[in-house]
Amino acid sequence: MRLENKVAIVSGAASGMGAATARRFAKEGAKVVIADMLEAEGRAVAAEITAAGGIAQFLALNVTEEASWKSVVDATVAAYGRLDIMVNNAGISGSAVNDLLETGIWDRVMAVNSTGVFLGTKFAVEQMQKNGGGSIVNLSSISGVVGQTMVHMSYNASKGAVRTLTKATAVQFGKDNIRANSVHPGLMPPMRTSGATADPVVRAKMLKAVPLGRNGEVDEVANAILFLASDEASYVTGAELYVDGGYLAM
Ligand code: NAD
């Protein structure tokens, strides 16, 4: 198994790509903490993994709050003794907006998508330094590389911040055997918070810019996260992996 004896936290694992990643990690032998604001959904993912013979538990997390992060990382280490993998996946969309220049949305999106990843990184690094290394995988997006219509620019800016804070993490903590990489999904099943980008007409138009001509599946992103999290990627750090059907190659 590719993650045998590893301990992982996946933020935003109650839904979508985070849930797919938690399931995949557990199948590969990891002990997985499903950390999310959605308690019922998060507990259901953990129960499903446990029923299938894996090891998982749900812990409540609000990624924007430092104290919440501390309590999740402390509880993880208390339960499993260490932390090897942090997947900073929790996020909110910027496409459910009427006013593309609204300031409140800027603040909310940056708090969850950028500050949330910084805080997850901070607490992961502190713990990984104690266990002699680890792997951090951050969910950016195609939106972290290029601009888009119909999406509040906070989403692009927040995902751009994830892209470069990942490289800063790799550069600053490589000496501690901590790797950090970003994953950039393209057109995927809509997020819970998606607006315009969940509209079938808009999605059909977006698909024209995808060389593979189809949506990605959540498991295709989970597979990329698995590779970067595992020891198979032992010399990969500071990298960005596009899982976008070729969108960014056009
Ligand atoms: P999703 O909406 O299905 O899941 C996001 C999860 O994050 C939810 O479980 C939600 O409860 C959680 N979350 C939101 N705010 C939180 C907070 N403050 N604290 C803790 N948890 C919080 O979305 P998804 O499609 O699975 O997206 C996962 C990641 O991938 C996000 O970072 C997203 O921006 C990114 N992404 C998504 C797409 C897409 O099209 N779906 C494309 C590129 C990148």
Side-chain angles (χ1 to χ4, degrees), residues 12 14-18 36-38 61-64 89-92 112 139-141 155 159 185-186 188-193:
S15 177
M17 294 188 261
D36 205 295
M37 289 176 84
L38 296 175
L61 170 70
N62 181 345
V63 295
T64 65
N89 163 80
I92 55 174
V112 177
L139 270 288
S140 178
S141 170
Y155 190 73
K159 293 299 184 181
M188 301 300 299
M191 299 172 70
R192 285 171 180 266
T193 45

Side-chain angles (χ1 to χ4, degrees), residues 65-137:
E65 291 176 6
E66 192 144 6
S68 181
W69 267 116
K70 182 172 179 347
S71 86
V72 164
V73 173
D74 286 352
T76 301
V77 175
Y80 304 122
R82 53 189 291 117
L83 176 64
D84 301 292
I85 299 163
M86 173 68 82
V87 182
N88 284 305
N89 163 80
I92 55 174
S93 166
S95 74
V97 288
N98 297 320
D99 179 359
L100 284 173
L101 294 175
E102 195 196 318
T103 307
I105 289 168
W106 172 273
D107 291 338
R108 271 201 304 286
V109 171
M110 294 303 283
V112 177
N113 293 4
S114 294
T115 308
V117 175
F118 164 70
L119 291 174
T121 299
K122 167 182 168 144
F123 286 99
V125 162
E126 287 173 357
Q127 191 52 46
M128 289 171 179
Q129 283 172 326
K130 291 181 197 155
N131 30 269
S135 175
I136 300 174
V137 183

